[in-house]
Amino acid sequence: VIAHELSNRLVTLRLSNVYDLSSRIFLLKFAKPDRREQLVVDSGFRCHLTSFARATAAAPSPFVARLRKFLKTRRVTFVAQVGTDRIVEVQFSEGQYRLFLEFYAGGNIVLTDKELNILALLRNVNEGAEHEQLRLGLQYNLSLRQNYGGIPPLTKERVREGLQKAADKQQGGAAAASKRSKIKPGDALRKALAVSITEYPPMLVDHALRVVGFDANKKPEEVAQDDALLERLMQVFDEAARVVTEITSAETAKGYIIAKKGKAKGDEAAESVDGSDPRSHNLMYEDFHPF
């Protein structure tokens, strides 16, 4: 959703400057004669456009100084998600420079040249679970990113295999898990789909399961072995695909803040949430969804 929105709003603008807001939050200002945009990047956590003025550091950090050196005045020519991974790529000057904003684990911001040689990065990464090293002078390896080469077609066979594989794995770990806690009904299928069908986020699959009326308490192996159930599950993915198309057909996705009423004093419990309603300060903000 955010890659789609940034692509609509930032392509053709030039980067006018970059600032530190904190050690991991940055402000990128973009402009062309008739338009300005400000992008906040909180590494590993979020990025979004903003119209608020924010206090910036008096002097740039070494990382921001390097970003300025390579990117200042460069034009944005492309913005997209990398495969189905939690990474947004922003290209400048027809791909001369590529900025990767990573939103998983500890997060990272990596600037490379067109050959993917690393020119600047927020934090060095040593070989860990991903068996990847990131530091100046090394290459950024896109082939390690989820579905970078393209999403495999969503066939019944792929879903069946994914469910069976996840079921075998779950059964392997079930003995150890049963000592700790019981797996809730419905969790087995959700987890199996989350690890095998990575192009749709679990929250969206959950939504589609409800819309289609698919019984989420079915076990993954049960669905994999029953053709009628599998056929029904394919309808769930059709619904998920429809939602994605609907969201990305608008220039900007409408986000939702989920709130619940706090303890009311007198007549303060507001029936409707309206920005102008003085009673709305009695709400506890709980969650945010980008669509």
Side-chain angles (χ1 to χ4, degrees):
V1 170
I2 191 65
H4 168 73
E5 184 173 322
L6 296 183
S7 176
N8 279 320
R9 301 278 289 276
L10 297 183
V11 170
T12 74
L13 272 61
R14 291 183 186 276
L15 183 77
S16 52
N17 220 335
V18 189
Y19 303 92
D20 297 90
L21 296 181
S22 77
S23 60
R24 49 171 270 185
I25 306 179
F26 304 91
L27 178 68
L28 285 76
K29 289 190 173 182
F30 298 87
K32 63 181 189 183
D34 55 335
R35 223 173 88 230
R36 294 176 184 280
E37 295 285 2
Q38 299 187 106
L39 175 69
V40 171
V41 179
D42 184 345
S43 183
F45 182 52
R46 67 195 164 106
C47 71
H48 55 82
L49 297 169
T50 181
S51 51
F52 290 106
R54 286 171 163 82
T56 56
S61 62
F63 170 65
V64 161
R66 276 190 81 76
L67 287 186
R68 285 180 182 180
K69 174 185 163 187
F70 293 108
L71 296 181
K72 226 168 149 179
T73 75
R74 298 268 174 192
R75 193 189 296 278
V76 178
T77 49
F78 173 83
V79 183
Q81 180 182 6
V82 173
T84 54
D85 222 323
R86 287 166 289 175
I87 305 171
V88 173
E89 177 184 3
V90 183
Q91 286 188 13
F92 295 84
S93 305
E94 307 293 343
Q96 271 322 102
Y97 295 98
R98 305 172 73 170
L99 187 67
F100 297 95
L101 311 175
E102 297 184 348
F103 295 100
Y104 55 84
N108 213 345
I109 299 174
V110 185
L111 174 68
T112 76
D113 61 14
K114 64 173 185 290
E115 272 86 40
L116 295 173
N117 299 308
I118 296 172
L119 303 172
L121 80 169
L122 180 57
R123 58 187 195 98
N124 289 331
V125 178
N126 293 319
E127 280 188 71
E130 302 284 3
H131 301 298
E132 180 178 22
Q133 282 187 314
L134 287 180
R135 60 168 194 271
L136 279 183
L138 292 182
Q139 272 212 317
Y140 189 70
N141 188 350
L142 279 176
S143 66
L144 296 175
R145 310 293 164 234
Q146 188 182 77
N147 290 326
Y148 175 65
I151 302 166
L154 191 54
T155 60
K156 258 164 76 168
E157 268 324 298
R158 184 181 149 210
V159 176
R160 181 184 276 122
E161 263 174 51
L163 287 175
Q164 199 53 61
K165 204 183 277 183
D168 297 344
K169 205 168 178 183
Q170 281 174 7
Q171 278 157 3
S178 65
K179 287 176 190 159
R180 290 195 304 271
S181 67
K182 283 266 190 282
I183 289 185
K184 285 200 216 96
D187 276 1
L189 182 63
R190 284 191 185 92
K191 282 179 179 161
L193 292 173
V195 296
S196 54
I197 311 300
T198 48
E199 59 264 46
Y200 297 121
M203 199 184 287
L204 177 56
V205 174
D206 220 27
H207 169 78
L209 284 166
R210 285 164 195 250
V211 170
V212 171
F214 191 93
D215 181 3
N217 294 328
K218 298 277 183 210
K219 290 190 165 61
E221 58 273 27
E222 197 184 331
V223 181
Q225 287 150 22
D226 182 330
D227 225 44
L229 279 176
L230 201 56
E231 198 57 61
R232 190 110 175 91
L233 188 58
M234 296 309 285
Q235 290 172 22
V236 170
F237 294 122
D238 289 343
E239 172 61 19
R242 188 196 65 74
V243 172
V244 169
T245 307
E246 188 184 304
I247 293 163
T248 52
S249 64
E251 271 194 22
T252 309
K254 180 180 170 184
Y256 293 83
I257 296 170
I258 316 295
K260 63 178 181 184
K261 282 183 195 171
K263 294 267 191 294
K265 289 192 195 112
D267 186 32
E268 278 180 4
E271 279 309 300
S272 65
V273 181
D274 179 333
S276 62
D277 190 333
R279 296 173 296 176
S280 66
H281 70 247
N282 198 38
L283 295 167
M284 297 275 294
Y285 294 111
E286 254 197 330
D287 203 355
F288 165 76
H289 294 294
F291 55 85

